Every structure is written in C-alpha cells, then in structure tokens.
Amino acid sequence: MNQKAMLPSEFMVLSNHIYEYKKGIRNLVLFTLNAKYESMACERLRNQNIDYVVQRVEDRNVNIYFGESCCLDVVRTFINRPVNQLSPEEDFMLGALLGYDICKQCTRFCKKKNQLNSAERNIA
C-alpha cells in the first residue's frame, strides 16, 4: 500500500503549511497534531531543512512551530507554558508572528489586558 495513503489527514494539512512557508506566504506556522505522529512530522520538516520547535499539549497532542529561525527564537522565549497561559503581550506577539489579522489581535490584546487589570483590581 502507498505510504501516503496510510498517513493521517493531518499530514495533508502539514504539507499545505510547508508549501505556504516555502512560498513565503507564512514566516511562522503553528501545527497541532497527535503526539504519536510527532516523529514523522519532525522528520518531514528536517528533510525540508525547516527549523522547528515542539511543545507538548496535554497528554495526546503536540504543537509544532516551524518557520524562520528569528520567529522561532521569539517563540522559544514563552513556550515553556501552555498557550492559554500566555501574557497578553506574548499572545499578541504570537498572533502577529503567525500572520493573524492585526486589528483582531489588537482587539484581543485590549480585551485580555482589561480582563487582567480588572482581576488584579479585584484581588487588591
């Protein structure tokens, strides 16, 4: 049987992300997949000479960030904890690096910052 036919559908998504990165559409990609396929995904990135960083997500998944080394250097400064625990500033940087709509990122940042400030005022 053809090896491509045996791969999970996530690898079609990974192939598309790699294509977009190689074409310059994205500088950084965040790809989440089942941890049992981590080694296969990392091997594919190594074979393409693409820099990457792996972050564990719970027990069954991993986040694989890949792309430009300078972007990954920034990501490495805050992936020591889950994405949902990022500060508003880190969350904003990650979204911007991933190419998310900058106006939506600004709105998200202000909302997160206001929630954080409100929670701090309630504690004091």
Side-chain angles (χ1 to χ4, degrees), residues 53-56 65 74-83 86 94:
V53 175
V54 176
Q55 177 188 35
R56 301 269 174 252
Y65 299 84
V74 173
V75 169
R76 285 182 182 99
T77 68
F78 54 72
I79 64 160
N80 55 344
R81 61 189 177 288
V83 174
L86 296 179
L94 181 58

Side-chain angles (χ1 to χ4, degrees), residues 50-114:
I50 299 173
D51 195 10
Y52 66 90
V53 175
V54 176
Q55 177 188 35
R56 301 269 174 252
V57 181
E58 301 167 357
D59 291 335
R60 296 172 40 187
N61 293 323
V62 293
N63 284 335
I64 302 178
Y65 299 84
F66 66 89
E68 296 297 322
S69 295
C70 60
C71 297
L72 289 169
D73 288 343
V74 173
V75 169
R76 285 182 182 99
T77 68
F78 54 72
I79 64 160
N80 55 344
R81 61 189 177 288
V83 174
N84 66 348
Q85 293 178 11
L86 296 179
S87 71
E89 293 80 6
E90 292 164 335
D91 182 81
F92 181 85
M93 285 190 304
L94 181 58
L97 288 167
L98 290 168
Y100 296 172
D101 179 284
I102 201 69
C103 292
K104 289 181 181 175
Q105 282 303 108
C106 289
T107 301
R108 180 179 168 93
F109 171 80
C110 289
K111 181 179 177 183
K112 286 180 154 288
K113 195 69 171 177
N114 288 336

Side-chain angles (χ1 to χ4, degrees), residues 14-41:
L14 177 60
S15 293
N16 186 65
H17 286 322
I18 290 171
Y19 172 82
E20 289 180 350
Y21 168 69
K22 293 252 178 180
K23 290 295 182 183
I25 296 169
R26 299 169 177 254
N27 292 315
L28 181 69
V29 176
L30 168 54
F31 178 62
T32 303
L33 80 158
N34 189 301
K36 68 183 177 180
Y37 301 116
E38 175 186 348
S39 63
M40 291 171 58

